[in-house]
Amino acid sequence: MSAQERRKKRLDRSVKVRSEGLYSLSSWREMAYLLAPRLLLIGGLLAAPFVLDLYWQKVLCAAGIIAVLAMGFDFLAAYVGLVCLGGAMFIGFGGYAAGLLNAKLGLPPVLTIPLAAVIGACLSTVILMPCLRLRGVYFAIVTFMLPLFATHIIIALELFGSTEGITGLDILANHWWEQYVIVISLLAALFGLRRLVTEDVGLIMMGIKDNDQAVLAAGISIFRYRVLAVFIAALAGCFVGAYQAHLYGWLGLSLFAMDFSILPIAATVMGGMGTLSGPVIGALILTPLSEALRGFGQLRVVLYCLILLLFILYKPEGLMNYLERKYHQFERWEKV
Amino acid sequence: MSLLEVINLMVFYENAVAINNVNLSCGKGLITGVFGANSAGKTTLMFTVSGMILDTARKEKMRGGIRITVMGDILFEGRSIMDVEPSRRAHLGIVLCPERRRIFKESTVIENLKIGGIIATKAQARTTLEYVFRIFPALVKLRKREAGFLSGGEQQMLAIGRALMAQPKFLLLDEPLLGLSPVMEEILINAISDVRRAIGLTTMISEQYARPVFPIIDYGYVLENGGVVVEGPAHDLMENPDVKSAYFGLQEE
C-alpha cells in the first residue's frame, strides 16, 4: 500500500499567519498580502469603464445589478438562513418606485434612486414580514411568487402604464455616471456587508441560521433580526432596481422578470456560497459570458447551462472558496 | 474468527489526527466495548466502520471545507470494505445506531421502524418488529406517536429498534446511554444483552462511562486521543487500575 503511506498536508502560508490581527501592520509584505486581492477587485472595477467599449460598458452595468442582487441572496441564504428568491421583487419595487417618483413628481434621479431604495425596501420588508416565520423552501416559494403576484396586479388593475410601462424617464447624465454609480454602490455593498457579518449583528444572524432555538434562549428576538436582514438585502436590491429604471429610462413589467431571481443564484453557486465576494465574481463572469455567447444564437442558453452544470459538478464549493484556499494555504506530501 | 477487523486505521480531519493507528477486532457473536473520553475518537471510529465518513468527506469537499483522509483497512467477513458505500455496507449487515439517536423526528414510531426495515424482507421485518416490541414493550403504546416528541429514553429504544430492523450482522451502538437515567440505562443494557442471547448479534458499543456497559461486554478497548491505550477481555480490563479510576469512577486507595 505504498500509495497510502503518503498524505497531502494542507498548511497555512506563513505570511497568512503573520498577517492575522494587528501584526499585519508590521511590514509592507504582510500588508500587500492582505490588500492585493482587495485592491485587485476595487482597482479592476474602477478601471473597467476606461478600458471597455460602449457595448461592454452596458454589460458591466447589467453585471453590477446582478452582482448586488447575488450578494443580497448570499447574505440572506448563507448568513441568515433565508433562501430568498425575491430578486425580481426587489428590482421591481425599486424600479417602479423610482420611475413613479420621477414621472409623476418630477424628482431627479439623484433623489429618486435613494428614495426608491428606501421605499421599496420598506415595502418588501412589510410584505415579507408575515412570511418570516417560514423557513427553507416555504420562504423561497413565497418570495418567488410575489413578483408574479405584483405583475398580475399591475396588469389586472391597469396600474402604472399596465403592460406598456412608462417610458421617457430621466436617464443618468452620461455613461461615466451610469457605470460609477453601480461600481461604487457594488463595492460599498460588498465591503459593508462583509463588515456587517463580522459585527455582533452578523454573529446573531449566523446564530439564527445555525440554531434559532439557542438564539431565542439567549433572549434575542429572532424576528427582529430577520426583519433587519431582509431590509438590508431589500435595500441593496431596490437600489439597483431604481438604478436600472434610470439606466434604461423606462419601467415596465420586465422589471419583475424571473431572471433577476435566478441569475443571482447562478452567480452565487459559481462564486461560492457564504463568501459575499464570490457572488460578485460569479456575476461579473456569468453576465459577460452570457453576452459573449450571443453569437451562438439559440445554443446560448444550452452552453450557459452547461457551464453552470460543469461548475456544480466539478467545483461545487465555488470559485471564491477555491481561490481563497489556494491563496492562503499550500499543500505538500507528507509521510504518515 | 473475527467478524470485523480494523487494521492500522488512521483518520485525519485536515491535519488533525482523529484515529491514530488503531487495530481492533470484533469476534463473531461477541459484544465489544470501546471506551474513551470526549475527543478520544469513538464517534469517528463508528463513522469510519459504518462508512458515514465517506459521505461526510464528500460533503466537506463540496463545501470546500476540511479534507478527511482515511487510511488503513477494515475487513468485514475477511473482505476489505474500505471503498464500499455506506448504503452498501448496511446491505452487508453493518448497521449504525448513531450518537444522539438521529431518529426521523416527523415520522411516527412505527414509521421509523418500517424505514429501518426497508432493506429487510417482509417476513424478516415482521418478526423483527415483533421482537423489537418484545424487548421494548414501552414502544407498543407509542407506535402512533410522532417520534420527535418521545422522551430521550424512548427515542433511544426507537433508535436501537430501527437499527435492528435493518437485519444487522454487526451492530454499531454509538453512546447508546447518552443522557439517560440509571433505570433507563438498565432497560437498554438488558435489551442489548437479550439481543445477543436471542440472535447472537455481534455488537460494538462505545461509551464514555464504562460501568453500566461493562457487565455485558466480552472484550474492551480503551481509546485515548485517537489511539488504543489498553485492550483486553472484560475482566482483565476491570483489573487494570488506570482503567478503573478513569472509566469506572473508582478511586484506588
Side-chain angles (χ1 to χ4, degrees):
Chain A
M1 279 191 236
S2 59
Q4 291 219 325
E5 280 161 12
R6 292 190 313 157
R7 183 180 80 86
K8 233 181 189 178
K9 193 171 186 180
R10 220 183 248 166
L11 287 168
D12 281 358
R13 287 183 203 283
S14 57
V15 62
K16 184 202 176 224
V17 180
R18 271 183 283 129
S19 55
E20 273 165 7
L22 201 61
Y23 296 107
S24 55
L25 296 174
S26 60
S27 89
W28 286 108
R29 240 190 105 201
E30 271 89 55
M31 288 210 279
Y33 176 79
L34 284 180
L35 286 176
R38 291 164 174 82
L39 285 180
L40 191 70
L41 182 71
I42 298 173
L45 279 174
L46 290 179
F50 288 99
V51 288
L52 298 175
D53 63 24
L54 208 60
Y55 175 72
W56 287 102
Q57 286 179 353
K58 293 281 181 204
V59 176
L60 175 69
C61 297
I65 291 169
I66 299 296
V68 173
L69 287 175
M71 247 188 293
F73 171 79
D74 190 28
F75 169 65
L76 282 183
Y79 290 93
V80 198
L82 295 168
V83 179
C84 174
L85 305 181
M89 178 173 71
F90 298 152
I91 290 280
F93 285 176
Y96 268 85
L100 292 174
L101 285 174
N102 183 248
K104 308 277 179 206
L105 301 181
L107 296 177
V110 68
L111 282 178
T112 58
I113 294 182
L115 266 179
V118 175
I119 295 171
C122 291
L123 199 59
S124 314
T125 314
V126 168
I127 291 179
L128 287 178
M129 233 180 235
C131 323
L132 283 181
R133 295 186 199 284
L134 304 176
R135 296 199 64 180
V137 73
Y138 300 105
F139 187 77
I141 290 171
V142 170
T143 50
F144 195 71
M145 251 167 45
L146 282 170
L148 297 173
F149 189 68
T151 315
H152 288 286
I153 287 185
I154 289 170
I155 296 175
L157 302 182
E158 299 195 346
L159 295 170
F160 321 134
S162 187
T163 46
E164 311 273 291
I166 299 173
T167 49
L169 303 179
D170 289 347
I171 53 168
L172 295 162
N174 55 42
H175 66 283
W176 297 112
W177 274 100
E178 281 174 8
Q179 292 165 75
Y180 278 109
V181 166
I182 191 71
V183 162
I184 287 170
S185 51
L186 166 64
L187 291 172
L190 173 60
F191 289 101
L193 280 178
R194 272 171 58 117
R195 169 53 76 88
L196 181 83
V197 296
T198 55
E199 297 282 335
D200 287 359
V201 187
L203 293 183
I204 293 170
M205 286 171 181
M206 277 193 269
I208 292 174
K209 187 204 170 202
D210 237 19
N211 187 339
D212 50 355
Q213 288 190 334
V215 175
L216 272 180
I220 296 165
S221 159
I222 292 182
F223 186 69
R224 267 181 49 195
Y225 281 93
R226 282 203 178 139
V227 168
L228 181 66
V230 168
F231 182 79
I232 292 168
L235 193 68
C238 292
F239 182 89
V240 289
Y243 162 79
Q244 169 149 340
H246 286 295
L247 178 65
Y248 302 125
W250 172 83
L251 70 81
L253 291 176
S254 66
L255 288 176
F256 286 107
M258 281 301 124
D259 295 19
F260 295 116
S261 297
I262 305 298
L263 286 179
I265 301 174
T268 309
V269 166
M270 187 175 193
M273 278 280 254
T275 53
L276 291 177
S277 48
V280 174
I281 292 171
L284 291 178
I285 294 172
L286 278 180
T287 321
L289 182 73
S290 94
E291 287 302 321
L293 291 176
R294 266 188 201 286
F296 292 94
Q298 289 298 317
L299 276 178
R300 168 171 165 244
V301 182
V302 177
L303 286 172
Y304 186 82
C305 292
L306 210 63
I307 289 167
L308 260 181
L309 206 64
L310 288 176
F311 242 92
I312 293 171
L313 282 177
Y314 294 106
K315 272 278 160 283
E317 53 183 330
L319 262 181
M320 197 57 202
N321 283 322
Y322 176 76
L323 291 176
E324 220 166 43
R325 207 173 54 232
K326 290 286 165 216
Y327 191 67
H328 287 316
Q329 297 177 316
F330 67 96
E331 293 177 312
R332 66 154 186 249
W333 286 101
E334 194 200 42
K335 266 213 162 120
V336 174
Chain B
M1 159 72 192
S2 51
L3 184 66
L4 182 108
E5 212 158 338
V6 173
I7 302 161
N8 292 336
L9 187 71
M10 295 192 93
V11 179
F12 293 87
Y13 289 126
E14 202 61 74
N15 299 332
V17 193
I19 298 276
N20 192 358
N21 231 348
V22 165
N23 286 288
L24 47 85
S25 76
C26 301
K28 203 163 195 151
L30 301 182
I31 298 183
T32 310
V34 176
F35 306 108
N38 296 112
S39 86
K42 300 184 301 298
T43 302
T44 305
L45 179 66
M46 292 290 187
F47 277 168
T48 315
V49 172
S50 65
M52 293 305 159
I53 200 140
L54 296 178
D55 185 60
T56 317
R58 203 169 299 140
K59 279 180 184 149
E60 278 299 311
K61 197 179 172 200
M62 283 191 68
R63 209 169 60 83
I66 59 168
R67 180 157 49 196
I68 298 174
T69 323
V70 182
M71 291 172 178
D73 212 353
I74 301 173
L75 303 179
F76 183 67
E77 297 181 318
R79 274 179 43 217
S80 172
I81 53 161
M82 280 303 272
D83 304 323
V84 181
E85 288 293 310
S87 57
R88 293 306 311 168
R89 292 193 202 187
H91 278 274
L92 289 177
I94 304 176
V95 177
L96 171 72
C97 173
E99 193 184 355
R100 281 173 233 287
R101 313 183 267 268
R102 306 278 171 88
I103 49 161
F104 303 111
K105 288 200 168 101
E106 288 168 18
S107 304
T108 61
V109 167
I110 194 83
E111 283 167 348
N112 263 280
L113 292 172
K114 278 184 180 158
I115 299 168
I118 275 175
I119 58 173
T121 64
K122 269 217 168 93
Q124 282 173 333
R126 203 174 316 119
T127 14
T128 318
L129 191 66
E130 275 167 25
Y131 179 67
V132 169
F133 282 140
R134 196 159 66 241
I135 55 171
F136 299 127
L139 290 182
V140 180
K141 272 187 299 184
L142 303 166
R143 51 201 300 165
K144 292 277 160 57
R145 189 81 65 81
E146 216 171 277
F149 294 104
L150 299 183
S151 74
E154 291 158 355
Q155 290 192 9
Q156 186 62 57
M157 292 183 197
L158 179 58
I160 294 178
R162 184 184 61 182
L164 288 176
M165 289 296 286
Q167 312 301 321
K169 283 185 201 159
F170 182 66
L171 179 65
L172 295 154
L173 295 173
D174 196 0
E175 305 212 12
L177 306 182
L178 190 77
L180 299 183
S181 71
V183 178
M184 194 48 84
E185 280 179 359
E186 208 182 311
I187 295 175
L188 286 168
I189 289 299
N190 287 340
I192 294 166
S193 69
D194 188 276
V195 172
R196 193 249 303 256
R197 259 200 320 275
I199 48 180
L201 181 60
T202 314
T203 312
M204 183 152 98
I205 305 182
S206 78
E207 264 308 326
Q208 306 222 9
Y209 186 53
R211 181 179 269 179
V213 198
F214 224 74
I216 60 161
I217 67 163
D218 301 293
Y219 200 87
Y221 294 86
V222 175
L223 291 183
E224 222 165 77
N225 295 323
V228 175
V229 283
V230 188
E231 63 166 283
H235 53 268
D236 286 6
L237 273 188
M238 189 69 189
E239 300 298 304
N240 190 316
D242 294 338
V243 178
K244 239 183 193 171
S245 64
Y247 300 100
F248 290 94
L250 300 179
Q251 215 60 53
E252 284 295 296
E253 57 275 357

